[in-house]
Amino acid sequence: STNNYKPKRIHSISNTSIVSVAAGAHHVVALTSEGVVFCWGHGKSGRLGVGDSRVRMIPTPVTGSLTHRKVRSIACSDVHTLACSVEGEVYAWGSNRWGQLGTSLTISTKASPRRVDSLRKSTIVDVACSVKHSVALCAGGGVYCWGSNENGQLGQIILTGGNVVNHNPEIVSKLTANSGNSMRVYAIDASEER
């Protein structure tokens, strides 16, 4: 195959209004103005969310749990993908090696979107992720993190040492207004460990 180092129109979605794009090392996720999610690239560990691990050379709609959901924000790392619906629900798929899918199930991968059930009582407005952890922003400004905490990236103090994995989202208590401060978080991001 030939590498193309110049921007090129993706004809299969050229008549679609794309409002957001996120990219991992081996796949891309795009969000349309209608709230539909498309993924393409290398599908290893199910990170494309289309039900398998095959390579997709053209943008493919992500269905499953997202079929009748309008998505407001997307994020992806090298190994997993997140989507936040307009209803405030978070969906995750791909690798769960470090608990970054937010499920208490000890599954290693998920090839289609799965709702992060432990966030059901929160209205989430944005998501971000890195290879080993995920982040969600609440409508009220609170922040949830889950996955690997080996470098303190979950905002939790761990006294046991080593790589502690938290499969369930937990609020970062020092960033909430009820922890004695008037802080409100308006935006989130996550970066890769290098």
Side-chain angles (χ1 to χ4, degrees):
S1 86
T2 3
N3 290 322
N4 189 344
Y5 298 108
K6 294 181 181 179
K8 184 178 178 183
R9 179 181 297 273
I10 300 173
H11 293 290
S12 63
I13 56 173
S14 63
N15 292 327
T16 305
S17 176
I18 302 296
V19 294
S20 182
V21 176
H26 305 286
H27 78 296
V28 178
V29 58
L31 177 63
T32 71
S33 58
E34 292 81 29
V36 176
V37 176
F38 285 87
C39 284
W40 62 97
H42 194 296
K44 183 179 180 182
S45 301
R47 62 184 153 214
L48 299 182
V50 294
D52 58 43
S53 295
R54 294 184 8 225
V55 171
R56 296 289 197 288
M57 299 301 284
I58 60 170
T60 305
V62 177
T63 55
S65 298
L66 294 183
T67 301
H68 300 290
R69 296 282 185 260
K70 183 174 182 179
V71 172
R72 76 164 31 165
S73 70
I74 53 173
C76 72
S77 76
D78 290 353
V79 297
H80 74 294
T81 308
L82 299 175
C84 176
S85 73
V86 296
E87 293 86 10
E89 305 163 331
V90 175
Y91 293 85
W93 59 94
S95 173
N96 195 40
R97 182 175 178 185
W98 297 282
Q100 68 270 43
L101 297 187
T103 173
S104 59
L105 300 175
T106 55
I107 56 171
S108 61
T109 63
K110 182 69 179 141
S112 57
R114 180 184 185 98
R115 185 170 178 185
V116 180
D117 287 329
S118 55
L119 292 173
R120 279 189 188 273
K121 294 182 180 179
S122 300
T123 302
I124 305 300
V125 295
D126 199 8
V127 289
C129 60
S130 180
V131 171
K132 296 182 180 180
H133 73 288
S134 299
V135 184
L137 177 63
C138 297
V143 176
Y144 283 90
C145 294
W146 62 97
S148 170
N149 195 45
E150 69 181 313
N151 295 311
Q153 61 266 49
L154 302 185
Q156 307 292 332
I157 297 173
I158 306 295
L159 301 176
T160 59
N163 181 16
V164 177
V165 172
N166 186 356
H167 291 271
N168 291 307
E170 284 191 26
I171 194 85
V172 180
S173 60
K174 295 291 183 183
L175 296 179
T176 59
N178 63 4
S179 68
N181 64 48
S182 59
M183 188 175 300
R184 178 183 169 102
V185 177
Y186 291 93
I188 56 173
D189 196 6
S191 66
E192 304 299 328
E193 300 166 19
R194 300 287 179 203

